[in-house]
């Protein structure tokens, strides 16, 4: 089994699958994509792109002749040896990772000594061992298995694919791991070769550490509010320490997204299921949940009772440059505000359609100034560039009230205040 230049299969054409497929196609590789969602496959075949990710539509269009889409595995199995598994692993009701899609793929692949399943989906440590046992019981023990977890970030996924910090390849010997490493070699990133269980754990540990960093700075921000310190200065001073680094030290309304929320919970429960109580992660999760709700108390301090007050929510997506609403802090915040009787209106330049799937009754405006018109207060939840470029005099003229809560510490407080508005950030003096 070689790697470089050989066609590959990609099973699951969501954020990870499509970026992986388009990325490898742009390196000159034929990619055979599979998804059980017939509407998605049809849209892709017509040249459409079902998700919002900057640069993805252009990359797919530029490499269209090397990208093939199907609802069945047949073509991928016929043309490719390495089958990249990129299906979703959402949380179960218990908070563990739901591996039913991963198992459905394992059930569907044929017995073959020429193929390898390359797991890009984020799975609990031990999944590779379980899957190989299951495959063995199904008479498919010769199918190779490689763990190759994905680290891309939505919003900058193409750049992350092209310039990864590292590529992790976990296997237990045999040519499949070498083939995966060879495939990634042109990207020039360090390749961490290890066993399957360690590769699985690297992914979970990386996300858990980043989430911990965010919850840490959020708690520092909350203490700053009590003590008169400014978390921006604190984060800068702390982050310049090379042992710590400046990234993921941005205080705000909590982390969201599909990955951090579910992966931190999945690691905590994986530990618990293995007999270990992962205390630290319990706090990381709790701090994050409370952080999403802190804006409610801030608004109450400014407005008093929220019943009947108009609150404008600027941004719905869990971060800018994506339409992904999974785990978005806006969902918790809006629910809490509505529970207090506030009249909530939102605007997001991209994520409204996705948001309506989760919150069908959402009241949305068509522009930032429209959502701000008549509002008693506004909360910045997603730091889309267009919100940072708002003319605050126009905002002040449109709003009925004065309060601006900057849930991402992304606005210029002086510019907001110069327009006669009242600015409050997170952890800012
Ligand atoms: N989204 C991210 O930023 C990101 C980053 C790193 C890792 N991951 C991990 O990658 C995996 C995929 O995440 P995503 O965000 O791309 O998910 P997604 O929900 O966007 O896409 C999953 C796709 O898999 C398809 N699918 C489900 N079952 C299938 C099957 N049996 N056969 C073929 N296709 C099937 C779905 O229809 C869907 O299109 C998850 O495990 C996630 O944790 C995601």
């Amino acid at each position: 089994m070689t790697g470089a230049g050989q066609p590959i299969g990609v099973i699951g054409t969501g954020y990870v699958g499509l970026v992986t497929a388009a990325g490898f196609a742009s390196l000159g590789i034929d990619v055979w994509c599979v998804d059980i969602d017939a509407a998605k496959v049809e849209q892709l075949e017509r040249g459409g792109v079902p998700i919002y990710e900057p640069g993805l539509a252009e990359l797919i269009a530029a490499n269209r002749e090397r990208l093939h889409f199907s609802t069945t595995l047949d073509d991928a199995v016929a043309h490719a040896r390495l089958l990249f598994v990129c299906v979703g692993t959402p949380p179960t009701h218990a908070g563990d990772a739901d591996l039913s899609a991963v198992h459905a793929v394992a059930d569907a692949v044929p017995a073959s000594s020429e193929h390898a399943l390359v797991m890009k989906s984020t799975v609990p440590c031990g999944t590779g061992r379980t899957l190989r046992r299951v495959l063995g019981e199904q008479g498919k023990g010769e199918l190779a298995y490689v763990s190759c977890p994905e680290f891309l970030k939505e919003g900058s996924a193409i750049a992350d694919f092209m310039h990864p910090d590292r590529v992790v390849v976990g296997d237990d010997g045999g040519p499949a791991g070498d083939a995966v490493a060879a495939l990634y070699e042109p990207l020039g990133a360090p390749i961490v070769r290890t066993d399957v269980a360690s590769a699985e754990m690297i992914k979970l540990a990386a996300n858990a550490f980043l989430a911990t960093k965010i919850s840490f700075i959020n708690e520092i921000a909350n203490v700053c509010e009590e003590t008169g310190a400014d978390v921006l200065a604190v984060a800068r001073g702390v982050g310049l320490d090379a042992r710590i680094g400046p990234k993921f030290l941005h205080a705000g309304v909590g982390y969201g997204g599909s990955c951090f929320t579910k992966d931190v919970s999945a690691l905590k429960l994986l530990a618990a299921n293995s007999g270990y109580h992962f205390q630290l992660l319990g706090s990381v999760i709790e701090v994050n949940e409370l952080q999403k709700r802190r804006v409610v108390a801030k608004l109450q301090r400014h407005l008093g009772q929220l019943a009947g007050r108009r609150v404008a929510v600027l941004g719905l997506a869990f971060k800018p440059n994506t339409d992904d609403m999974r785990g978005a802090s806006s969902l918790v915040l809006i629910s809490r505000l509505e529970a207090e009787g506030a009249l909530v209106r939102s605007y997001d330049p991209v994520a409204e359609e996705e948001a309506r799937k989760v919150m069908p009754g959402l009241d949305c405006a068509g522009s930032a100034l429209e959502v701000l018109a008549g509002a008693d207060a506004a909360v910045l939840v997603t730091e889309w560039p267009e919100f940072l470029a708002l003319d605050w005099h126009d905002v002040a003229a449109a709003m009925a009230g004065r309060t601006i809560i900057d849930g991402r510490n992304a606005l210029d407080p002086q510019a907001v205040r110069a327009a006669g508005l009242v600015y409050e950030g997170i952890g800012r003096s």
Side-chain angles (χ1 to χ4, degrees):
M1 200 179 291
T2 57
Q6 298 296 308
I8 61 165
V10 166
I11 306 169
T13 57
Y15 291 89
V16 168
L18 269 184
V19 170
T20 303
F24 278 123
S26 76
L27 299 178
I29 290 166
D30 262 287
V31 186
W32 298 82
C33 304
V34 187
D35 203 293
I36 48 167
D37 184 336
K40 197 177 260 191
V41 169
E42 196 191 322
Q43 189 181 359
L44 286 162
E45 275 182 321
R46 277 189 282 110
V49 178
I51 55 170
Y52 178 81
E53 176 62 42
L56 181 59
E58 294 81 353
L59 199 65
I60 289 176
N63 296 283
R64 190 62 190 84
E65 74 279 11
R66 281 186 290 279
L67 288 163
H68 317 273
F69 300 100
S70 171
T71 51
T72 70
L73 275 171
D74 301 345
D75 285 344
V77 168
H79 293 276
R81 297 287 170 261
L82 298 176
L83 304 172
F84 284 79
V85 182
C86 306
V87 298
T89 50
T92 64
H93 292 302
D96 306 282
D98 178 352
L99 297 177
S100 52
V102 165
H103 279 277
V105 172
D107 291 346
V109 285
S112 165
S113 57
E114 293 185 357
H115 289 84
L117 283 183
V118 185
M119 189 59 63
K120 286 209 92 49
S121 297
T122 305
V123 295
C125 185
T127 303
R129 191 178 57 224
T130 306
L131 280 175
R132 278 172 295 169
R133 178 177 53 72
V134 169
L135 289 165
E137 287 165 5
Q138 295 176 349
K140 304 182 208 167
E142 291 190 346
L143 199 72
Y145 186 90
V146 180
S147 171
C148 180
E150 181 55 58
F151 298 93
L152 64 76
K153 301 179 290 301
E154 288 174 22
S156 58
I158 306 287
D160 292 342
F161 174 88
M162 296 296 178
H163 312 285
D165 291 339
R166 78 309 209 178
V167 174
V168 174
V169 178
D171 70 312
D172 295 333
D178 296 340
V180 175
L183 196 63
Y184 277 100
E185 212 157 87
L187 299 178
I191 297 182
V192 179
R193 297 292 301 267
T194 182
D195 58 278
V196 170
S198 303
E200 293 168 338
M201 187 56 93
I202 287 169
K203 172 65 191 175
L204 294 176
N207 273 1
F209 186 77
L210 293 173
T212 302
K213 236 179 147 181
I214 295 172
S215 278
F216 177 80
I217 199 65
N218 279 335
E219 288 229 276
I220 293 291
N222 299 343
V223 180
C224 284
E225 287 181 3
E226 301 301 323
T227 55
D230 186 331
V231 75
L232 255 61
V234 175
R236 179 166 152 72
V238 168
L240 282 170
D241 187 325
R243 295 169 300 177
I244 297 172
K247 293 188 176 162
F248 285 76
L249 284 182
H250 305 291
V253 289
Y255 60 77
S258 68
C259 292
F260 281 6
T261 320
K262 79 176 173 63
D263 294 348
V264 175
S265 164
L267 178 54
K268 178 173 177 275
L269 288 166
L270 171 70
N273 296 340
S274 319
Y276 180 73
H277 178 43
F278 204 143
Q279 286 193 63
L280 181 60
L281 288 188
S283 299
V284 168
I285 294 166
E286 192 184 351
V287 167
N288 196 55
E289 287 310 309
L290 293 174
Q291 200 68 18
K292 293 178 189 172
R293 292 158 171 79
R294 272 181 78 84
V295 167
V296 177
K298 285 179 187 288
L299 285 170
Q300 282 165 333
R301 269 201 310 281
H302 287 273
L303 302 181
Q305 290 282 336
L306 295 182
R309 307 307 296 270
R310 295 181 183 281
V311 179
V313 170
L314 294 170
L316 293 164
F318 85 93
K319 66 174 183 178
N321 293 320
T322 183
D323 61 350
D324 200 342
M325 284 298 300
R326 292 176 289 185
S329 297
S330 62
L331 296 172
V332 174
L333 177 63
I334 292 171
S335 301
R336 281 291 305 117
L337 289 172
E338 289 182 342
E340 294 294 328
L343 306 172
V344 183
R345 214 162 182 229
S346 327
Y347 166 67
D348 189 289
V350 168
E352 181 183 332
E353 193 182 328
E354 287 302 308
R356 282 192 189 286
K357 291 180 189 165
V358 204
M359 280 192 145
L362 209 57
D363 181 9
C364 289
S367 72
L369 276 185
E370 193 186 320
V371 80
L372 289 160
D376 294 306
V379 184
L380 179 86
V381 177
T382 316
E383 64 276 38
W384 284 98
E386 71 171 82
F387 299 146
L388 312 191
L390 277 168
D391 181 323
W392 294 101
H393 288 94
D394 291 348
V395 173
M399 285 178 68
R402 306 284 86 190
T403 307
I404 305 288
I405 307 289
D406 180 1
R408 296 292 176 191
N409 288 344
L411 304 175
D412 175 356
Q414 281 177 358
V416 175
R417 288 186 182 124
L421 294 163
V422 176
Y423 173 92
E424 182 170 348
I426 308 287
R428 311 214 50 195
S429 51

